[in-house]
Amino acid sequence: MRHGDVPFVSLYADARADPRFLLEGKLAVAQPTIADARAALRDHFGYQSFRPGQDTVIGAVLAGRDAVAVMPTGAGKSVCYQVPAAIMDGLVLVVSPLISLMGDQVRGLKEAGIRGSYLNSTLTPLQQEVVMARALANWYDVMYVAPERLREPRFRSFAAQVGIPLVAVDEAHCVSQWGQDFRPAYRDIRGFVDSLPQRPPVVALTATATAKVRQDVVALLGLRDPVVQVNGFDRPNLSLASFELTPKRRQAWVANYVRAHADQSGIVYCTTRKKVDELAEALREQGILTAAYHAGHTAEERAEAQRAFIADDAPVMVATNAFGMGIDKSNVRYVINWGLPLSLEEYYQEAGRAGRDGEPAECYLLWSKGDIRTCHYLIDSTEFAPELTQEACQTVLANRERLLGEMIGYAMSTSCLRRRILRYFGQDLSGVPQECGSCSACTGQTADKYLQAPSRGTFGAIGTGSRAQAVGAGYVDDLPPTDEDEALFQRLRALRKRLADEAGVPPYIVFNDATLRAMVRMRPQTEEELLQVPGVGTRKLERYGSAFLAELK
Ligand code: ADP
Ligand code: ZN
């Protein structure tokens, strides 16, 4: 097994001691198998089994095939290239548009004992040279780069030398003009891959499901006979609710909710910057530590707000949709939308930032007739490029109105919200029950009823329906937690926060909420037992095991 901070010399010595490795002084490894991948999933991530689709994608790339992974946010796309990186010889190259996230991703990998690096414009030219030199000396398993990098001659000559067994294209929908986040530089990926001395397999990952985008991904990335894995879009651990609430009543509702969930992390999305500032101020006045984020704030303000939220210093983030692209904080327990997004794609993306760890989480849509007027107004004031014909403008407007119509239909729906979303995303609904039993349409939950419900942590706060759902999906144990469990969970959270602050990483990188919940359930007393807990791998056991065992005793 490799370690994040083993110096080059000893790594090389270790490798040479292993007879599998030597080939004329070069490192070479026997072709890894899916069994190796499973072992790596256990060792590095502490998970006993792959989630649906992960094994298909990993199996494909290990066999040298291209692959496409279409999976909703939170399904575990990263594992599809991180596990291969841990067991394949050479440097797995990850193309990602999310420069601001690369540092976090590399730190997360380090915690899992995988040697990551990144190359982007936040590094000085000298630092970039150092990273490339180290990569050539086999210091890393993974390197993250922005797509623009692939054009550079210096990078191309580096890539030709370093030995790349796999190229992963994250947020692959960015290659398509039909998607919302088109990045022209994604069109260079194909040429780059073809320019490598030996074309490695390419794995493309995205959460965007429409068929048109999927076709573009395959064609424009030049994928060769790829294995295509499309996961279902259901997120059984999310309970969905839509409440019609006037803005006046909304403020009290949100403040109550946030106060009742002060020990949890959540996001409130507002449609205007002004509302973000007002609501954040109102929550602060009530003594709630609140981070606020929108494009009108300075870069420093935004960075600090994001830091405070990710480090669990501020439990709640109030933001416009400028916040969240690429945020992979896994322990977000609720997302509240104040007002209507302009499409269900946008809504499900925002709501989907809750519960990425698979633990129960809640998504509330709060809207009123006034919000519908605001949305129409926003669409009417769409700005068009001057060269666009009248007809083209009309088409765009009609399209946006159609998307909004679907959003409004969802907000007002009196039938199951979950089914409605799944149908919208084109999912086959045979086998899905008529009622999910956990959304506000199924349970008849209203804004007022909620307000009165006693709240005790995540479990107390959600309806039995969604808990039953989550149990059915194998996410949580079916025994209701006791007060004692909840107290232990809070102690483990506090310990996690302390260790995370010491290590300078976000708390969810130490262990996610699902792992802490499992510790509460399983009460491990020995290192061996602790290793059985999902999310505890050997690396994290070494680092954090004794502290958590002490707390559990
Ligand atoms: P995505 O990139 O698809 O949004 P991530 O890769 O961030 O999802 O994974 C979401 C969460 O699921 C992370 O906390 C990750 O550790 C966890 N996870 C991934 N694979 C597994 C697995 N096989 N078993 C349990 N948890 C997993
Ligand atoms: Zn339902």
Side-chain angles (χ1 to χ4, degrees), residues 416-418 435-439 442:
C416 180
L417 298 175
R418 187 183 307 277
E435 298 200 334
C436 74
S438 72
C439 73
C442 286

Side-chain angles (χ1 to χ4, degrees), residues 25-336:
K26 278 193 191 163
L27 295 176
V29 191
Q31 190 69 17
T33 64
I34 194 78
D36 297 323
R38 213 161 273 131
L41 182 75
R42 249 189 330 266
D43 285 349
H44 292 280
F45 296 95
Y47 299 133
Q48 293 301 318
S49 56
F50 285 116
R51 289 221 185 121
Q54 286 177 332
D55 45 356
T56 308
V57 173
I58 293 172
V61 304
L62 292 182
R65 294 206 37 196
D66 288 355
V68 181
V70 182
M71 299 180 182
T73 305
K77 286 185 286 298
S78 322
V79 158
C80 295
Y81 60 81
Q82 290 172 346
V83 160
I87 56 177
M88 287 173 119
D89 194 24
L91 183 73
V92 168
L93 196 69
V94 185
V95 183
S96 164
L98 307 169
I99 289 180
S100 62
L101 209 72
M102 292 178 182
D104 270 356
Q105 280 164 326
V106 167
R107 260 178 292 158
L109 282 175
K110 187 168 179 229
E111 290 294 309
I114 296 174
R115 306 168 309 158
S117 60
Y118 60 87
L119 208 53
N120 66 31
S121 51
T122 66
L123 302 180
T124 65
L126 180 63
Q127 287 171 325
Q128 297 182 14
E129 286 302 323
V130 170
V131 169
M132 285 190 275
R134 288 178 171 173
L136 288 167
N138 191 26
W139 277 45
Y140 307 123
D141 304 312
V142 180
M143 180 183 280
Y144 288 87
V145 296
E148 288 76 15
R149 174 81 37 181
L150 307 180
R151 290 180 190 149
E152 287 178 13
R154 171 75 189 93
F155 181 75
R156 288 217 174 190
S157 71
F158 157 77
Q161 286 174 58
V162 73
I164 297 175
L166 173 67
V167 173
V169 182
D170 209 1
E171 312 287 348
H173 58 275
C174 291
V175 78
S176 170
Q177 243 163 340
W178 287 80
Q180 291 188 327
D181 317 302
F182 174 54
R183 284 277 283 241
Y186 265 62
R187 300 278 168 99
D188 296 342
I189 295 174
R190 174 185 199 156
F192 168 79
V193 171
D194 289 340
S195 79
L196 292 170
Q198 237 192 336
R199 184 188 180 280
V202 177
V203 57
L205 311 115
T206 177
T208 300
T210 65
K212 176 68 190 157
V213 171
R214 217 182 302 153
Q215 286 160 10
D216 273 1
V217 165
V218 172
L220 298 171
L221 292 177
L223 302 186
R224 301 181 184 175
D225 184 26
V227 171
V228 179
Q229 169 68 36
V230 183
N231 277 28
F233 270 65
D234 194 12
R235 298 274 307 276
N237 61 316
L238 299 187
S239 63
L240 305 168
S242 170
F243 297 147
E244 184 175 355
L245 262 187
T246 58
K248 223 182 188 154
R249 290 178 60 214
R250 229 180 267 176
Q251 178 125 331
W253 191 93
V254 170
N256 271 337
Y257 185 91
V258 170
R259 218 179 306 108
H261 297 78
D263 57 351
Q264 296 176 1
S265 192
I267 306 174
V268 184
Y269 280 110
C270 302
T271 45
T272 65
R273 297 178 186 181
K274 184 160 162 269
K275 192 70 235 171
V276 167
D277 289 332
E278 279 172 17
L279 180 62
E281 198 43 48
L283 294 177
R284 287 188 194 119
E285 271 168 21
Q286 304 203 23
I288 299 164
L289 287 169
T290 307
Y293 188 108
H294 63 62
H297 292 157
T298 65
E300 292 89 75
E301 287 169 333
R302 274 178 288 157
E304 171 52 22
Q306 182 163 328
R307 187 211 60 75
F309 179 64
I310 292 198
D312 285 344
D313 286 338
V316 60
M317 168 64 93
V318 182
T320 60
N321 61 5
F323 176 74
M325 169 74 162
I327 294 296
D328 66 357
K329 183 171 166 53
S330 68
N331 64 338
V332 174
R333 295 268 68 87
Y334 62 87
V335 170
I336 298 171

Side-chain angles (χ1 to χ4, degrees), residues 243-245 249 253 444-453:
F243 297 147
E244 184 175 355
L245 262 187
R249 290 178 60 214
W253 191 93
Q445 186 194 10
T446 64
D448 303 316
K449 256 190 237 168
Y450 189 83
L451 274 183
Q452 288 155 17

Side-chain angles (χ1 to χ4, degrees), residues 124 129 212 322 326 446 484 489 492 517 533:
T124 65
E129 286 302 323
K212 176 68 190 157
T446 64
E484 192 194 325
F489 177 70
L492 296 181
R517 288 279 173 207
V533 174

Side-chain angles (χ1 to χ4, degrees), residues 514-537:
T515 299
L516 298 192
R517 288 279 173 207
M519 284 184 196
V520 169
R521 244 173 14 239
M522 295 160 72
R523 302 281 161 100
Q525 298 294 311
T526 64
E527 291 202 344
E528 248 159 46
E529 288 170 9
L530 191 55
L531 261 183
Q532 302 299 310
V533 174
V536 183

